[in-house]
């Protein structure tokens, strides 16, 4: 009874306004003037079944001029879900209103129907007013309607901290100087409400000569799903330079969180393009102009036995990744060197017992950190477990949603697989609990690499990870997943483009295939996948491939062919190793394994791969 009384009181002050805007509608008004702290709303008779034949019931939420409206649905049930929700029982949503009312000519944002899992559970207006228009029809259903809460938020919390360029709707410039803040925020248009269709926005960052730019996309919500960014109409592209002609170091689509991007120079250009029919919420991001400090000063390099080069932990770029420090904690920064050696303390002599070392690697641009072990000999007893718990070990961490997550652990004497980060940072944690005079510790090479460990094909600069294989260069060869034969990195998308002559096609033979996932290799099963296409866009002829598969062949229908590898942030696999041959389409072609199938790896790597298959598969 109390809730119903509040609704009547809110209804009466603006009843005449609602009728003047659309005389056929009833109206319930929730105003910031009456409910500054927000409140609750629900369908008629909730939680009982709502009446049928509701032609037009308006829920109008009105804030102050500097406020926006947030609605959160806690329960939602309007009967069977229909394809477009435009008939039957539904809510029509108006998020981008320039006035406080609607008419039959007012453009709406979308429709809501079905159950709670079928709708966005939180809605935001882009201005001070948000309206829901409720309809119900015959025959009656058992649907109970909806309930939720509303509140009014200061829109200035989502102000972009840059200089808006005159003319274009959403272009901004951020210039570092002594008079401007060294950090701030920027957003997609209308954030946290949905962005517009058919827009293009740019965000240009210009640092001073001894500064670099760090960006963290805290939230990305463009479209749901796991489609390749090649097949998405809404994209965020990050270019390592002054404009869109600079090399692309990140392409972001779908949904994500805490994605970090670091410039290699003093310019960074972010491009947001939205051409889909169903815009998402967009993105929110932070930026920071970071001084290089003394990272480029070679006098700070610390040289230890074994040829290890790095910097003490205090020189790390950005926030420290570990709260604990010790005399053997090291930071390896790509500003100083692109490759080097990392060893256990005192290598090749035994390390001390009860030692703990953190080795942090910090790259830039589209660099990934790759670590290849050359020697590995840690103390172990006969009781050593596969998980390497409570023994001398190395643990490897990457960063998922901004937090370190362990991807592997190594112990004993078996040489580890090559490691690769999913972004610009990697952490190795070495724990020598016991040690002995018979152990050597470990020695590894590290690389800040832009080619994702893929050594065949010509790398294409318009994508972070894309390689072109042309019959003009060679008629046959090999290609593999990132970091093969080690585990492929998470949150990675790589494209392999095959270009033949007009009368040619390409034949692919997969010798090894281990990509985490189960059929149908989609987001529902949290699967990584490999996708094939005769076009840049999706090709319905081919199904996705994932899991552990025996050798198989794929053949193109035309001179162009695309292979896309995409991993999520869950699990890892060894990936794939394949060969390709361009052939004349008029020939009867039978696939033969090329002699040079291992041309991109040396004999040692192949022996390692065989050992991995025996031990781990």
């Amino acid at each position: 009874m109390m809730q119903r009384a509040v609704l009547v009181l809110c209804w009466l002050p603006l009843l005449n306004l609602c009728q003047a805007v659309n005389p056929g509608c009833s109206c319930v008004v929730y105003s910031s003037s009456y409910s500054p702290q927000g409140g609750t709303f629900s369908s008629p008779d909730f939680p009982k079944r709502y009446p049928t034949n509701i032609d037009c019931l308006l829920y109008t939420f009105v804030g102050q001029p500097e406020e926006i409206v947030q609605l959160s649905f806690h329960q939602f049930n309007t009967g069977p879900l229909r394809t477009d929700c435009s008939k039957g029982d539904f809510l029509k949503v108006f998020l981008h209103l320039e006035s406080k009312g609607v008419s039959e000519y007012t453009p709406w944002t979308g429709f809501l129907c079905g159950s709670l899992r079928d709708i966005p559970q939180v809605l935001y207006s882009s201005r001070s007013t948000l309206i829901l228009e409720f309809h119900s029809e015959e025959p009656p259903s058992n649907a109970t309607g909806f309930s939720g809460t509303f509140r009014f938020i200061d829109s200035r919390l989502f102000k972009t901290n840059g200089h808006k360029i005159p003319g274009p709707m959403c272009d901004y410039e951020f210039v570092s100087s002594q008079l401007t803040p060294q950090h701030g925020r920027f957003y997609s248009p209308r954030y946290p409400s949905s962005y517009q269709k058919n827009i293009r926005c740019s965000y240009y960052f210009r640092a001073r000569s001894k500064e670099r730019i760090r960006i963290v996309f805290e939230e990305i919500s463009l479209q749901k799903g796991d489609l390749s960014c090649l097949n998405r109409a809404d994209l965020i592209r990050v270019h390592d330079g002054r404009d869109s002609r600079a090399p692309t170091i990140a392409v972001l689509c779908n949904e994500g969180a805490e994605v970090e991007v670091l410039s290699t120079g003093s310019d960074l250009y972010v491009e947001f393009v939205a051409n889909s029919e169903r815009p998402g919420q967009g993105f929110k991001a932070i930026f920071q102009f970071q001084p290089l400090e003394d990272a480029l000063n070679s006098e700070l390099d610390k040289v230890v036995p074994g040829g290890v080069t790095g910097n003490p932990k205090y020189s790390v770029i950005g926030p420290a990744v570990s709260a604990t420090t010790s005399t053997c904690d090291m930071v390896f920064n790509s500003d100083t060197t692109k490759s080097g050696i990392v060893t256990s303390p005192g290598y090749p002599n035994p390390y001390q017992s009860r030692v703990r070392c953190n080795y942090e690697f910090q790259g830039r641009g589209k660099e990934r950190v790759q670590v290849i072990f050359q020697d590995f000999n840690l103390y172990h007893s006969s009781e050593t477990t596969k998980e390497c718990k409570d023994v001398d070990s190395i643990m490897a961490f990457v960063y998922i949603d901004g937090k370190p997550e362990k991807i592997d652990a190594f112990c004993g004497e078996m040489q580890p697989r090559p490691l690769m980060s999913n972004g610009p940072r990697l952490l190795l944690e070495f724990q020598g609990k016991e040690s002995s005079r018979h152990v050597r510790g470990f020695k590894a090479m590290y690389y800040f690499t832009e080619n994702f460990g893929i050594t065949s094909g010509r790398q294409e600069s318009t994508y972070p990870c894309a390689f072109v294989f042309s019959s003009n260069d060679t008629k046959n060869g090999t290609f593999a997943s990132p970091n093969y034969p080690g585990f492929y990195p998470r949150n990675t998308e790589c494209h392999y483009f095959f270009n033949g002559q007009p009368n040619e096609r390409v034949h692919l033979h997969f010798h090894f295939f281990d990509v985490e996932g189960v059929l149908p290799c989609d987001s529902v099963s949290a699967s990584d996948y490999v996708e094939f296409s005769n076009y840049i866009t999706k090709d319905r002829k081919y199904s996705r491939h994932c899991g552990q598969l025996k050798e198989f062949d794929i053949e193109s229908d035309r001179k162009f062919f695309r292979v896309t590898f995409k991993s999520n942030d869950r699990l890892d696999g060894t990936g794939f190793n394949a060969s390709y041959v361009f052939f004349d389409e008029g020939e009867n072609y039978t696939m033969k394994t090329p002699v040079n199938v291992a041309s991109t790896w040396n004999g040692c790597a192949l022996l390692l791969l065989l050992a991995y298959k025996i031990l781990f598969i």
Side-chain angles (χ1 to χ4, degrees):
M1 291 300 294
M2 180 62 71
Q3 182 185 36
R4 188 179 298 275
V6 171
L7 292 180
V8 172
L9 287 174
C10 292
W11 186 333
L12 293 177
L14 291 178
L15 181 61
N16 293 332
L17 172 62
C18 293
Q19 291 180 342
V21 172
N22 191 340
C25 292
S26 301
C27 183
V28 183
V29 177
Y30 303 87
S31 172
S32 174
S33 300
Y34 293 93
S35 305
Q37 304 303 317
T40 62
F41 67 97
S42 63
S43 53
D45 299 330
F46 184 86
K48 297 180 179 179
R49 186 176 65 191
Y50 53 79
T52 58
N53 295 321
I54 297 176
D55 183 50
C56 176
L57 174 57
L58 297 179
Y59 292 78
T60 302
F61 303 84
V62 182
Q64 300 300 316
E66 293 294 333
E67 292 178 331
I68 59 174
V69 185
Q70 180 193 60
L71 298 188
S72 300
F73 287 97
H74 303 309
Q75 298 187 55
F76 195 94
N77 180 10
T78 62
L81 175 64
R82 291 170 173 80
T83 304
D84 61 359
C85 296
S86 61
K87 293 184 179 180
D89 301 350
F90 62 86
L91 274 173
K92 186 185 290 186
V93 181
F94 300 84
L95 298 181
H96 311 299
L97 294 170
E98 297 183 4
S99 63
K100 295 182 180 180
V102 295
S103 72
E104 56 185 317
Y105 304 108
T106 306
W108 58 84
T109 308
F111 294 90
L112 305 178
C113 66
S115 64
L116 191 63
R117 67 174 178 268
D118 300 318
I119 67 167
Q121 295 176 24
V122 181
L123 298 176
Y124 295 90
S125 66
S126 59
R127 293 184 175 88
S128 60
T129 301
L130 187 155
I131 292 180
L132 303 177
E133 185 178 320
F134 183 41
H135 295 259
S136 68
E137 295 182 357
E138 294 279 5
S141 68
N142 291 324
T144 55
F146 53 86
S147 70
T149 57
F150 67 92
R151 66 189 187 110
F152 302 98
I153 305 172
D154 191 334
S155 62
R156 291 168 292 189
L157 294 173
F158 306 100
K159 181 181 178 181
T160 293
N161 302 128
H163 171 67
K164 189 176 183 305
I165 298 175
M169 182 177 140
C170 52
D171 289 0
Y172 286 86
E173 188 176 56
F174 307 79
V175 179
S176 175
S177 72
Q178 293 181 345
L179 302 177
T180 57
Q182 295 301 289
H183 58 85
R185 294 184 170 273
F186 66 104
Y187 303 89
S188 54
R190 294 175 171 172
Y191 191 89
S193 189
S194 58
Y195 48 84
Q196 304 94 316
K197 294 185 290 186
N198 302 317
I199 60 168
R200 181 183 295 268
C201 306
S202 66
Y203 307 83
Y204 172 51
F205 299 85
R206 188 171 77 228
R208 287 177 280 188
S209 59
K210 293 186 178 181
E211 291 178 333
R212 297 296 180 261
I213 302 124
R214 175 177 182 257
I215 288 178
V216 178
F217 291 92
E218 296 178 302
E219 291 184 9
I220 300 170
S221 180
L222 306 185
Q223 282 92 38
K224 291 185 178 180
D226 61 350
L227 287 182
S228 160
C229 291
L230 281 176
N231 299 313
R232 283 303 197 191
D234 296 357
L235 292 171
I236 303 168
R237 286 183 175 273
V238 183
H239 301 273
D240 197 22
R242 295 178 61 88
D243 52 37
S244 59
R245 293 171 294 183
T248 302
I249 58 176
V251 177
L252 309 174
C253 65
N254 302 326
E255 297 176 302
E258 300 299 329
V259 179
E260 183 181 35
V261 183
L262 299 161
S263 71
T264 61
S266 55
D267 298 282
L268 197 69
Y269 186 81
V270 178
E271 195 176 19
F272 175 52
V273 180
N275 293 314
S276 70
E277 287 300 312
R278 294 187 176 182
Q281 186 181 23
F283 67 85
K284 69 173 181 177
I286 59 173
F287 69 88
Q288 182 182 2
F289 294 111
Q290 293 183 321
L292 284 177
E293 299 177 336
D294 295 322
L296 297 177
N297 187 345
S298 59
E299 294 180 0
L300 284 180
D301 287 355
K302 180 179 179 182
V303 181
V304 296
V308 180
T309 58
N311 291 329
K313 186 175 177 70
Y314 58 73
S315 66
V316 65
I317 292 179
V321 292
S322 174
T324 61
T325 60
S326 71
T327 57
C328 60
D329 285 354
M330 299 289 289
V331 172
F332 301 88
N333 193 315
S334 71
D335 290 331
T336 305
T337 181
K338 298 299 182 184
S339 63
I341 299 172
V342 57
T343 69
S344 53
Y347 178 87
N349 298 315
Y351 51 86
Q352 295 179 349
S353 60
R354 296 188 297 277
V355 65
R356 178 174 177 175
C357 308
N358 286 336
Y359 304 93
E360 300 175 26
F361 301 86
Q362 176 73 69
R364 287 195 176 278
K366 63 180 176 183
E367 290 176 341
R368 300 292 177 101
V369 186
Q370 186 178 43
V371 177
I372 300 177
F373 288 89
Q374 296 179 319
D375 191 15
F376 196 84
N377 179 229
L378 305 186
Y379 174 80
H380 65 96
S381 64
S382 57
E383 290 79 24
T384 298
T385 63
K386 284 187 177 181
E387 292 78 17
C388 299
K389 292 182 178 179
D390 300 319
V391 296
D392 294 5
S393 64
I394 290 179
M395 290 183 286
F397 297 84
V398 296
Y399 291 82
I400 304 295
D401 293 341
K403 300 176 182 178
E405 181 169 323
K406 186 174 78 172
I407 58 170
D408 219 332
F410 312 106
C411 54
E413 298 181 9
M414 176 56 64
Q415 191 159 311
R417 299 170 182 258
L419 291 169
M420 182 169 282
S421 65
N422 65 324
R425 292 195 288 166
L426 179 74
L427 170 64
L428 297 182
E429 185 179 285
F430 170 58
Q431 296 187 50
K433 293 180 178 292
E434 297 188 42
S435 189
S436 81
R437 60 189 179 90
H438 302 292
V439 299
R440 299 185 303 276
F442 70 88
K443 177 183 178 181
M445 289 292 298
Y446 68 87
Y447 304 90
F448 295 104
T449 176
E450 293 187 346
N451 69 1
F452 293 77
I454 299 171
T455 57
S456 61
R458 173 178 56 82
Q459 189 164 10
E460 175 64 54
S461 65
T462 54
Y463 301 94
C465 182
F467 297 83
V468 177
F469 301 83
S470 173
S471 67
N472 288 334
D473 300 327
T474 180
K475 294 295 184 182
N476 61 74
T478 61
F479 66 105
S481 53
N483 196 46
Y484 186 85
F487 285 141
Y488 52 75
R490 302 184 187 185
N491 282 337
T492 298
E493 181 172 312
C494 290
H495 309 289
Y496 307 81
F497 301 122
F498 295 87
N499 293 315
Q501 298 298 315
N503 62 333
E504 288 181 333
R505 291 187 290 168
V506 65
H507 194 115
L508 310 180
H509 181 78
F510 284 80
H511 305 272
F512 178 84
F513 194 94
D514 175 25
V515 175
E516 276 293 331
V518 294
L519 293 174
C521 308
D522 58 15
S523 58
V524 176
S525 57
S527 295
D528 304 330
Y529 64 82
V530 173
E531 181 179 88
F532 304 97
S533 178
N534 289 293
Y535 317 95
I536 285 289
T537 55
K538 190 174 177 64
D539 192 337
R540 289 178 292 178
K541 175 181 177 179
Y542 302 95
S543 59
R544 289 178 174 178
H545 286 55
C546 65
Q548 295 183 347
L549 304 180
K550 296 180 179 179
E551 295 189 33
F552 64 93
D553 297 276
I554 296 287
E555 195 170 283
S556 71
D557 292 337
R558 52 202 296 263
K559 66 177 183 178
F560 173 81
F561 200 60
R562 171 177 63 86
V563 178
T564 293
F565 164 81
K566 186 173 178 64
S567 63
N568 58 29
D569 61 359
R570 306 291 181 86
L571 299 172
D572 319 289
T574 309
F576 63 83
N577 166 24
S579 55
Y580 68 91
V581 174
F582 289 101
F583 68 97
D584 193 299
E585 62 184 357
E587 299 175 356
N588 291 323
Y589 178 75
T590 301
M591 181 68 187
K592 295 180 180 179
T593 303
V595 176
N596 65 339
V597 71
S599 61
T600 55
W601 305 284
N602 58 34
C604 180
L606 283 177
L607 290 174
L608 280 174
L609 174 60
L610 292 174
Y612 292 147
K613 287 184 178 181
I614 294 171
L615 291 170
F616 297 103
I617 298 175

